[in-house]
């Protein structure tokens, strides 16, 4: 075996095919021709004297050898990242990139505000914040695609280190002149008699818990407004269209400004979500990521 091959550009191309499941998709992400990616994969397989993928009609899936090589490659890139970060740390926390995957609610106000606050002290730290479905975030963290996952969870995840877990109950959101706005607590049975705004799909933990609770109680709800964007539902409620459901962090600034009212719900399922900060189990994060994690933890604890 030629061990030098494990340190070449071919390995980056190989990992991208593993992540995307396709030579074409990998080439697009790497900004190279598909033929270049194919050549690198063929070169790896020739040097290692083994196939690395199962070629299927709908893409490529790593076989046992491919899985082993992918695990090695991910560890290698993380080691390089850690050494580079340690060298930079000798000059203080001046540079770095923090990659975050977040659900929509936390990406609207909560995280951008904390990032801006953090960058006032660490001006050289850059951030990449992308919105994903809740179910996608743990896998992005496990694959090393992002450094930090900020999400909502109802179950534990394998190979994930939970840096912080904090209750994130679902609240009833409405305009301040809504008939129910003065209540200290509400139930879903009281809400469903009014126009409601709900997520349009079942991939949202909010919608899943709402449907479970309604089913358990025998409640029927025909929403007046459906959207796959939380911000659209909140704006609908703010305009007096009806009641939306959300966690507090997604609209903290609007609540403080008095534009909306948030009323706690007494239903059990509406209080079973948790806010989670996730990182890859066993990974040593770069200094910039560790510093922002500390900033994030402190913000959640203060607000909690």
């Amino acid at each position: 075996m030629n061990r030098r091959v494990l340190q070449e550009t071919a390995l980056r191309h190989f990992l991208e095919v593993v992540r995307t499941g396709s030579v074409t998709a990998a080439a697009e992400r790497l900004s190279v021709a598909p033929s270049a990616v194919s050549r690198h994969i063929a070169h790896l397989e020739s040097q290692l004297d083994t196939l690395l993928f199962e070629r299927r009609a709908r893409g490529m899936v790593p076989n046992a050898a491919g899985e082993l090589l992918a695990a090695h490659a991910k560890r290698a890139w993380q080691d390089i990242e850690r050494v580079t970060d340690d060298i930079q740390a000798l000059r203080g926390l001046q540079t770095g990139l923090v990659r975050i995957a977040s659900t929509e609610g936390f990406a609207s106000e909560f995280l951008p505000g904390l990032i801006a606050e953090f960058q006032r002290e660490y001006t050289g730290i850059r951030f990449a914040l992308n919105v994903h479905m809740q179910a996608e975030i743990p896998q992005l963290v496990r694959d090393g695609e992002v450094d930090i996952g900020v999400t909502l969870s109802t179950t534990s995840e394998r190979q994930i280190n939970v840096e912080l877990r904090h209750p994130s109950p679902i609240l009833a959101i409405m305009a301040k002149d809504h008939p129910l706005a003065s209540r200290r607590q509400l139930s879903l049975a009281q809400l469903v008699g009014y126009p409601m705004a709900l997520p349009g799909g079942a991939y949202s933990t909010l919608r899943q818990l709402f449907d479970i609770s309604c089913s358990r109680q025998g409640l029927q709800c025909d929403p007046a407004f459906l959207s796959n964007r939380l911000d659209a539902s909140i704006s609908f409620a703010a305009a007096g269209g009806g009641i939306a459901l959300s966690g507090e962090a997604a609209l903290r600034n609007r609540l403080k400004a008095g534009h909306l009212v948030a009323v706690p719900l007494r239903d059990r399922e509406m209080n079973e979500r948790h806010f989670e900060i996730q990182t890859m189990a066993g990974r040593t994060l770069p200094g910039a990521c560790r510093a922002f994690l500390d900033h994030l933890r402190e913000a959640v604890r203060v607000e909690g």
Side-chain angles (χ1 to χ4, degrees):
M1 179 194 301
N2 181 358
R3 296 181 185 276
R4 288 184 60 191
V5 75
L6 299 184
Q7 301 173 10
E8 295 178 356
T9 303
L11 207 53
R12 278 196 305 115
H13 290 210
F14 162 77
L15 271 181
E16 210 55 63
V17 176
V18 171
R19 288 171 182 146
T20 62
S22 159
V23 167
T24 302
E28 289 178 358
R29 291 192 56 170
L30 293 164
S31 299
V32 298
S35 59
V37 177
S38 295
R39 282 198 306 272
H40 281 301
I41 298 300
H43 177 60
L44 270 176
E45 292 181 327
S46 173
Q47 291 296 317
L48 296 171
D49 193 25
T50 185
L51 293 177
L52 297 171
F53 291 94
E54 295 178 17
R55 272 73 171 178
R56 299 179 180 177
R58 295 188 177 181
M60 299 171 67
V61 178
N63 59 20
E67 292 284 2
L68 283 173
L69 182 56
H72 159 84
K74 290 172 185 176
R75 288 194 299 270
W77 298 140
Q78 289 160 14
D79 287 343
I80 292 169
E81 182 183 61
R82 184 166 59 250
V83 170
T84 303
D85 185 68
D86 288 344
I87 292 170
Q88 292 176 344
L90 297 174
R91 300 185 291 114
L93 194 62
Q94 298 177 9
T95 62
L97 171 66
V98 181
R99 301 167 303 162
I100 304 172
S102 168
T103 51
E104 181 193 359
F106 298 120
S108 297
E109 294 182 4
F110 179 68
L111 284 171
L114 288 179
I115 289 169
E117 188 178 88
F118 181 83
Q119 287 180 321
R120 283 194 279 273
E121 182 173 356
Y122 301 107
T123 56
I125 306 300
R126 296 171 295 118
F127 285 81
L129 171 62
N130 289 301
V131 174
H132 293 272
M133 299 298 293
Q134 178 269 331
E136 299 171 340
I137 292 176
Q139 190 61 48
L140 291 167
V141 172
R142 279 192 291 266
D143 288 345
E145 291 285 301
V146 298
D147 305 302
I148 300 169
V150 179
T151 186
L152 293 161
S153 177
T154 57
T155 59
S156 59
E157 293 282 348
R158 62 180 182 83
Q159 299 176 338
I160 290 292
N161 183 44
V162 178
E163 301 283 348
L164 181 68
R165 196 166 194 259
H166 193 274
S168 181
I170 298 170
L171 308 171
I173 310 301
M174 61 199 80
K176 58 186 177 182
D177 60 352
H178 191 279
L180 299 179
S182 62
R183 302 293 183 91
R184 296 184 62 183
Q185 194 177 49
L186 290 165
S187 68
L188 291 186
Q190 292 171 292
L191 300 189
V192 295
Y194 293 86
M196 291 197 67
L198 293 175
Y203 295 105
S204 159
T205 55
L206 187 157
R207 182 61 187 267
Q208 290 170 358
L209 293 172
F210 176 83
D211 289 346
I212 290 169
S213 192
C214 284
S215 177
R216 178 179 63 82
Q217 299 179 65
L219 300 175
Q220 298 292 324
C221 179
D222 185 14
F225 183 81
L226 288 172
S227 177
N228 64 350
R229 296 299 303 269
L230 177 62
D231 211 45
S233 294
I234 298 301
S235 295
F236 174 79
I243 301 170
L245 300 173
S246 173
E248 181 269 343
L251 60 158
R252 184 170 294 168
N253 292 337
R254 279 179 280 187
L255 289 174
K256 288 180 178 178
H259 299 153
L260 290 163
V261 173
V263 183
L265 296 169
R266 64 172 63 98
D267 306 81
R268 182 179 71 243
E269 291 84 359
M270 299 294 100
N271 293 278
E272 290 183 349
R273 289 194 320 178
H274 284 80
F275 165 85
E276 280 194 0
I277 304 172
Q278 300 177 346
T279 60
M280 183 194 297
R283 180 187 177 194
T284 300
L285 288 171
C289 298
R290 294 196 301 269
F292 184 69
L293 268 178
D294 290 340
H295 183 69
L296 187 49
R297 284 194 200 97
E298 186 60 27
V300 172
R301 287 175 181 142
V302 167
E303 293 293 339

